[in-house]
């Protein structure tokens, strides 16, 4: 079967690898010269951006008789690539533009939950100008989060006390959004621990994946700017050390109710990955955000543990027949190698040198890097490579991941080594004990 994978990060690299392992042939649409995707693909087609390339991508798919399409990143979903493939009768994993609003508009998502009485949101209000902003911040007792209402690669969210120190900072950020013709949401700042629960969806049925925790902040100790995600871990029991079973069940139920609310409000089936980003708080599980796609880095952890055939799963999602899906009962740890300054002011064009001996401990997936004609790999302003290991415990997987990382060299690179280490996990468990 011929698959088209759209996207050229580590998430798409592992998707392509898993599809190939199932005997599928892979064609790729890439925006950077990802060496992993280039070597796995029958053909790659380079586009400068997703905004202007929809027609070319559809033509490439027709010319190569593509039978199923997997859309990795949010940008092509926001541009309605899934709609085009659907209209042509080609099965596609990834929701239509209207359904992808679950990710592309934070205001849409909050309103959807409100309308369908899914009580998982913090207090929130949508704004298109500065009228009422000060009063609302006051109403939230200065514990607030300001979210640009659109796609910004995870970097459009500013949290009071962390990224916004005072009212002037807050008003400044709101003004910046308005002057760029944007809208925004202000919501209550939640206190707790974050986790993600992704589900394979066919529009009616959901198959849930193991719970997983990403690390959005750029620097060790969970400080610094928000990023696309610095690394993730999952546990062998498919829960997380700080979570109770009932909390995972709550998150599953929220995903199920949201999938059904999406159908009721749009009349369309959501076919793809529904990614709930949650926070477990003193008053239960709350929704932070939805993504309309596989998480990155989450995909590296969970596809490593997947014990079923990804090609069949993709086809079932697109075709409306998803069933239970098996994951190995192991823990997983993934850490990203990123350019120094990633999240604020990244250095570009550093060289990445990978010694293949990493494979004794880990797998490695290339992200936003470019393979040059000379065979060298250079970084861009985004994440460079993800190293992932599985093990019988988080500790074992973490040690293997660090061993794998020791074979990735280069100048001006940064890794959050604290991810999945016992100290950070203990901090989260202790924190939840205080909060509950
Ligand atoms: P998002 O892009 O909506 O996932 O937000 C990025 C990060 O900002 C999240 O991973 C959280 O760490 C933080 N965040 C977003 N919304 C809230 C909230 N209501 N309360 C506390 N932190 C939040
Ligand atoms: N890891 C978070 C995301 O994929 O947006």
């Amino acid at each position: 079967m011929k698959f088209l994978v759209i996207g050229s990060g580590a998430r798409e690299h592992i998707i392509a690898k898993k599809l190939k392992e199932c005997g599928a042939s892979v064609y790729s649409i890439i925006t950077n010269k990802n060496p992993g995707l280039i070597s796995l693909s029958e053909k790659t087609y380079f586009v400068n951006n997703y905004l202007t390339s929809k027609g070319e991508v559809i033509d490439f798919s027709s010319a190569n008789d593509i039978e199923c399409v997997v859309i990795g990143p949010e940008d092509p979903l926001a541009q309605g690539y899934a709609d085009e493939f659907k209209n042509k009768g080609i099965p596609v994993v990834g929701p239509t533009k209207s359904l992808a609003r679950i990710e592309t508009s934070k205001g849409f998502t909050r309103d959807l939950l409100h309308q369908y009485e899914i009580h998982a949101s913090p207090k929130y209000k949508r704004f298109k100008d500065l009228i009422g902003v000060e009063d609302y911040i006051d109403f939230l007792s200065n514990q607030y989060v300001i979210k640009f209402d659109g796609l910004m690669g995870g970097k459009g969210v500013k949290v009071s006390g962390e990224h916004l120190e005072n009212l002037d900072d807050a008003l400044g950020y709101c003004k910046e959004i308005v002057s760029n013709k944007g809208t925004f949401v202000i919501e209550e700042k939640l206190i707790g621990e974050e986790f993600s629960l992704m589900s394979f969806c066919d529009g009616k049925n959901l198959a849930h994946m193991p719970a997983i925790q990403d690390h959005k902040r750029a620097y060790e100790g969970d400080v610094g700017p928000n990023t696309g995600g610095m690394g993730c871990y999952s546990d062998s029991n498919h829960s997380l050390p700080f979570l109770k079973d009932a909390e995972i069940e709550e998150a599953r139920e929220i995903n199920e109710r949201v999938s059904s609310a999406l159908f009721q409000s749009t009349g369309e089936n959501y076919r793809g990955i529904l990614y709930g980003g949650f926070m477990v708080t003193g008053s239960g599980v709350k929704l932070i955000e939805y993504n309309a796609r596989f998480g990155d880095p989450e995909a590296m952890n969970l596809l490593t543990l997947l014990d079923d055939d990804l090609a069949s799963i993709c086809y079932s999602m697109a075709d409306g027949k998803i069933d239970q899906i098996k994951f190995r009962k192991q823990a997983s740890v993934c850490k990203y190698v990123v350019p120094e300054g990633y999240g604020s002011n990244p250095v570009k064009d550093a060289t990445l040198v990978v010694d293949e001996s990493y494979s004794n401990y880990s797998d490695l997936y290339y992200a936003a890097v470019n393979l040059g004609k000379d065979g060298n790999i250079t970084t861009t302003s985004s994440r460079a490579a993800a190293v992932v290991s599985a093990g019988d415990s988080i500790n074992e997987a973490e040690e293997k991941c660090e061993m794998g990382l020791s074979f990735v060299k280069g100048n001006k690179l940064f890794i959050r080594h604290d991810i999945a280490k016992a100290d950070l996990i203990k901090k989260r468990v202790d924190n939840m004990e205080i909060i509950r």
Side-chain angles (χ1 to χ4, degrees):
M1 189 151 174
K2 288 181 165 186
F3 274 79
L4 180 67
V5 176
I6 301 183
S8 43
R11 165 184 52 206
E12 290 76 25
H13 183 180
I14 191 169
I15 290 173
K17 183 176 160 213
K18 293 286 156 185
L19 289 172
K20 256 203 120 156
E21 282 172 10
C22 310
S25 48
V26 175
Y27 293 72
S28 302
I29 303 295
I30 56 174
T31 51
N32 55 280
K33 295 189 174 142
N34 181 316
L37 279 163
I38 290 171
S39 75
L40 287 167
S41 305
E42 305 298 317
K43 279 189 199 163
T44 54
Y45 185 80
F46 186 87
V47 297
N48 280 321
N49 61 61
Y50 294 112
L51 192 65
T52 53
S53 309
K54 208 181 330 181
E56 292 165 55
V57 170
I58 303 292
D59 290 347
F60 177 80
S61 149
S62 305
N64 290 291
D65 302 317
I66 295 300
E67 292 160 282
C68 188
V69 182
V70 183
I71 303 180
E74 57 275 29
D75 284 339
L77 293 169
Q79 296 300 329
Y81 280 54
D83 306 55
E84 292 279 334
F85 288 110
K86 192 177 155 210
N87 293 340
K88 285 198 166 294
I90 300 173
V92 52
V93 176
T96 59
K97 184 173 177 172
S98 169
L99 290 166
R101 282 180 297 166
I102 195 79
E103 170 161 5
T104 59
S105 170
K106 300 194 184 275
F108 167 84
T109 301
R110 291 287 179 223
D111 285 353
L112 186 86
L113 266 74
H114 179 71
Q115 188 186 345
Y116 289 89
E117 296 179 4
I118 304 168
H119 300 296
S121 286
K123 296 186 191 93
Y124 78 99
K125 194 167 174 188
R126 300 177 75 167
F127 291 89
K128 54 182 187 320
D129 51 37
L130 273 83
I131 298 167
V133 166
E134 265 192 72
D135 284 349
Y136 198 65
I137 286 179
D138 193 42
F139 168 73
L140 295 177
S141 314
N142 286 308
Q143 297 295 312
Y144 59 91
V145 179
I146 303 180
K147 298 184 167 185
F148 167 68
D149 198 2
L151 292 180
M152 245 175 106
K155 293 151 205 132
V157 173
K158 307 256 187 235
V159 181
S160 67
E162 293 180 43
H163 312 108
L164 302 169
E165 283 187 10
N166 50 43
L167 186 61
D168 281 348
D169 286 356
L171 294 174
Y173 186 49
C174 298
K175 272 188 201 142
E176 185 187 320
I177 294 174
V178 173
S179 64
N180 289 323
K181 307 213 173 346
T183 58
F184 57 99
V185 175
I186 303 185
E187 59 189 40
E188 174 192 359
K189 176 176 170 181
L190 299 167
I191 307 290
E193 289 297 334
E194 291 180 57
F195 69 100
S196 310
L197 198 276
M198 299 189 289
S199 311
F200 296 103
C201 299
D202 64 15
K204 298 272 182 305
N205 310 294
L206 286 83
H208 303 295
M209 300 185 214
I212 180 160
Q213 188 174 46
D214 187 15
H215 297 71
K216 290 271 177 76
R217 300 297 198 275
Y219 309 129
E220 300 207 345
D222 291 323
V223 295
N226 275 320
T227 68
M230 297 295 292
C232 288
Y233 66 92
S234 71
D235 205 351
S236 54
N237 59 1
H238 294 175
S239 178
L240 290 165
F242 57 85
L243 273 185
K244 293 186 185 300
D245 288 351
E247 290 160 346
I248 298 192
E249 205 39 62
E250 255 184 89
R252 288 179 178 155
E253 194 188 320
I254 295 169
N255 279 5
E256 285 161 19
R257 292 190 60 198
V258 164
S259 154
S260 144
L262 280 168
F263 179 72
Q264 287 175 61
S265 80
T266 64
E268 288 184 55
N269 286 308
Y270 186 101
R271 299 192 193 284
I273 312 296
L274 184 65
Y275 167 136
F278 298 100
M279 191 178 279
V280 47
T281 72
S283 49
V285 173
K286 302 284 178 199
L287 177 77
I288 296 280
E289 65 160 359
Y290 266 108
N291 293 323
R293 53 179 170 79
F294 249 126
D296 181 350
E298 289 88 341
M300 274 67 80
N301 298 68
L302 298 183
L303 292 180
T304 296
L305 301 179
L306 182 69
D307 212 6
D308 264 319
D309 174 310
L310 183 63
S312 313
I313 295 172
C314 287
Y315 206 73
S316 315
M317 268 188 284
D319 201 34
K321 294 193 203 88
I322 205 84
D323 205 345
Q324 285 314 302
I325 290 166
K326 293 197 287 296
F327 289 86
R328 282 201 323 268
K329 287 270 183 185
Q330 277 200 302
S332 67
V333 173
C334 176
K335 302 192 195 190
Y336 252 118
V337 180
V338 305
E340 264 176 24
Y342 168 61
S344 51
N345 192 16
V347 294
K348 285 187 200 166
D349 299 329
T351 306
L352 189 75
V353 182
V354 175
D355 174 340
E356 298 290 323
S357 307
Y358 73 79
S359 60
N360 293 323
Y361 307 95
S362 311
D363 290 321
L364 180 143
Y365 298 97
Y366 288 103
V369 292
N370 284 304
L371 177 65
K373 289 205 174 73
D374 53 6
N376 287 336
I377 299 170
T378 46
T379 63
T380 62
S381 57
S382 197
R383 297 173 290 187
V387 171
V388 58
S389 300
D392 290 336
S393 64
I394 297 174
N395 199 19
E396 188 190 318
E398 198 275 334
E399 282 174 1
K400 282 164 77 180
C401 181
E402 283 292 336
M403 286 302 292
L405 283 164
S406 68
F407 293 96
V408 182
K409 298 274 189 308
N411 56 342
K412 303 202 170 116
L413 298 172
F414 177 74
I415 300 161
R416 262 194 71 172
H417 289 290
D418 63 338
I419 292 170
K421 286 227 165 36
D423 279 357
L424 192 57
I425 292 179
K426 181 173 182 306
K427 204 173 107 189
R428 305 208 187 291
V429 173
D430 292 349
N431 189 30
M432 271 329 296
E433 261 165 31
I434 297 165
I435 288 171
R436 284 197 194 94

